[in-house]
């Protein structure tokens, strides 16, 4: 569909098969999203193939720009808002949802957001194979798939192994920010992050954090709050020693 755009499962033939925390999704792409993918992918997009190390300074055209990795951005509206509010930070946004990739690229162009890059594929491979140690100034995981059935809990992204890997790619003092509206998953996140020797909770009471101003309240989240759903934010800092 997109000869010069994102490819399905770009690292699938190069790396081990394992239980994944996501479902690859192509979905129905609108004409506007497709046009953005065709025109902008080579400029602002990259496939997570696991075959090379990314130079973030080169990717964003500024070796001094701090870069935050966002894993899972949906349709990209919140990502675009955060990029517009903080043009001095680069956002490397990773997802596997083709319509969302196209939508975020279109938003970036429409709003002249040069501090967004879109990555297609497995974020684990991106972290492990393609990002240098201590290269990220932050990591955001907002509303990941909760995999609510007990037999699927092993698919959840926030696990001790993931947190240990993330710590190696974050600079000392960098923030790991998670948010979820699924209470049991929030409890697991808090337990896993609290147990990690690499992170410390920014909250003195060791609990959840208020939603920070830099995380936009999305339309979907607002609808959930109106229905009485509770959203929990977790803000943990990479230890400096």
């Amino acid at each position: 569909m997109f000869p010069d755009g994102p490819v399905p499962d770009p690292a699938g033939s190069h790396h081990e098969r394992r239980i994944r925390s996501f479902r690859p999704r192509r979905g129905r792409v609108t004409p506007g999203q497709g046009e953005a993918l065709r025109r902008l992918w080579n400029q602002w997009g990259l496939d997570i193939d696991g075959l090379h190390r990314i130079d973030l300074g080169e990717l964003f055209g500024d070796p001094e720009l701090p870069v935050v990795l966002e894993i899972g951005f949906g349709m990209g509206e919140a990502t675009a808002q955060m990029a517009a509010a903080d043009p001095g930070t680069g956002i490397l946004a990773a997802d596997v949802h083709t319509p969302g990739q196209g939508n975020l690229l279109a938003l970036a162009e429409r709003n002249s957001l040069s501090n967004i890059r879109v990555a297609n594929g497995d974020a684990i491979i991106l972290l492990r194979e393609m990002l240098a140690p201590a290269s990220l100034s932050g990591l955001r995981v907002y509303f990941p798939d909760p995999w609510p059935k007990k037999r699927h809990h092993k698919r959840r992204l926030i696990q001790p192994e993931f947190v240990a890997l993330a710590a190696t790619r974050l600079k000392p003092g960098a923030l790991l920010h998670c948010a979820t509206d699924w209470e049991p998953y929030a409890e697991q996140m808090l337990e896993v992050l609290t147990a990690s020797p690499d992170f410390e909770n920014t909250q003195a009471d060791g609990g959840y954090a208020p939603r920070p101003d830099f995380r936009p309240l999305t339309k979907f989240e607002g609808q959930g709050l109106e229905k009485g759903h509770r959203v929990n934010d977790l803000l943990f800092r990479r230890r400096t020693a």
Side-chain angles (χ1 to χ4, degrees), residues 137-140 170 173-177 202 214 235-238:
S137 296
L139 175 58
R140 299 167 180 169
L170 287 169
L175 282 178
L176 170 55
H177 182 195
T202 62
F214 65 80
L235 279 168
F236 278 72
R237 193 175 307 278
R238 177 72 165 92

Side-chain angles (χ1 to χ4, degrees), residues 9 17 35 60 71 97 150 159 167 190 209 216 225 240:
D9 199 14
R17 297 292 178 181
E35 176 65 15
F60 283 88
I71 298 177
H97 188 218
K150 186 174 182 180
Q159 307 277 3
L190 185 60
L225 292 172
T240 57

Side-chain angles (χ1 to χ4, degrees), residues 158-161 163-164 187-201 206 234 236 239:
I158 306 302
Q159 307 277 3
E161 297 81 6
V163 171
E187 293 170 356
Q188 177 183 323
M189 289 177 174
L190 185 60
E191 179 181 351
V192 168
L193 289 168
T194 299
S196 171
D198 300 309
F199 291 93
E200 57 185 353
N201 198 332
L234 300 94
F236 278 72
R239 294 184 185 274

Side-chain angles (χ1 to χ4, degrees), residues 21 152-165 185 188-189 192-193:
S21 61
H152 291 155
H153 285 184
K154 59 189 175 183
R155 294 182 178 273
R156 289 176 173 174
L157 181 63
I158 306 302
Q159 307 277 3
E161 297 81 6
F162 171 80
V163 171
L165 172 61
Y185 197 6
Q188 177 183 323
M189 289 177 174
V192 168
L193 289 168

Side-chain angles (χ1 to χ4, degrees), residues 3-217:
D4 297 318
V7 302
D9 199 14
S13 62
H14 308 303
H15 292 276
E16 80 283 358
R17 297 292 178 181
R18 57 178 167 78
I19 296 173
R20 292 186 172 184
S21 61
F22 63 89
R23 303 181 183 94
R25 296 178 298 157
R26 300 296 281 185
R28 181 181 178 276
V29 177
T30 68
Q33 294 161 2
E35 176 65 15
L37 288 167
R38 280 186 285 270
R39 289 191 301 103
L40 301 172
W41 187 256
N42 286 334
Q43 180 182 356
W44 289 338
L46 65 98
D47 283 309
I48 302 172
D49 57 18
L51 298 178
H52 66 285
R53 180 67 59 85
I54 297 172
D55 183 326
L56 291 176
E58 181 179 334
L59 181 67
F60 283 88
D62 183 352
E64 302 301 321
L65 188 74
V67 176
V68 170
L69 172 63
E70 182 180 2
I71 298 177
F73 55 81
M75 295 305 292
E77 291 94 343
T79 305
Q81 290 182 54
M82 290 186 288
D86 185 12
T89 296
I91 300 179
L92 177 57
D95 208 311
V96 294
H97 188 218
T98 311
Q101 293 165 352
N103 200 59
L104 180 53
L105 288 172
L107 288 170
E109 181 181 50
R110 186 179 311 139
N111 296 287
S112 301
L113 303 175
S114 61
N115 57 329
I116 291 177
R117 298 294 182 272
V118 179
N120 167 53
D122 190 338
I124 299 292
I125 292 176
L126 176 63
L127 282 165
R128 192 182 64 203
E129 308 291 345
M130 300 179 71
L131 293 176
S135 59
L136 294 172
S137 296
L139 175 58
R140 299 167 180 169
V141 184
Y142 298 156
F143 305 100
D145 192 328
W147 294 102
K149 295 181 180 179
K150 186 174 182 180
R151 69 177 183 271
H152 291 155
H153 285 184
K154 59 189 175 183
R155 294 182 178 273
R156 289 176 173 174
L157 181 63
I158 306 302
Q159 307 277 3
E161 297 81 6
F162 171 80
V163 171
L165 172 61
T168 66
R169 299 305 187 252
L170 287 169
K171 296 176 180 178
L175 282 178
L176 170 55
H177 182 195
C178 301
T180 180
D181 60 347
W182 190 259
E183 189 74 22
Y185 197 6
E187 293 170 356
Q188 177 183 323
M189 289 177 174
L190 185 60
E191 179 181 351
V192 168
L193 289 168
T194 299
S196 171
D198 300 309
F199 291 93
E200 57 185 353
N201 198 332
T202 62
Q203 304 305 296
D205 64 359
Y208 303 113
R211 179 178 65 85
D213 291 339
F214 65 80
R215 184 177 74 76
L217 182 67

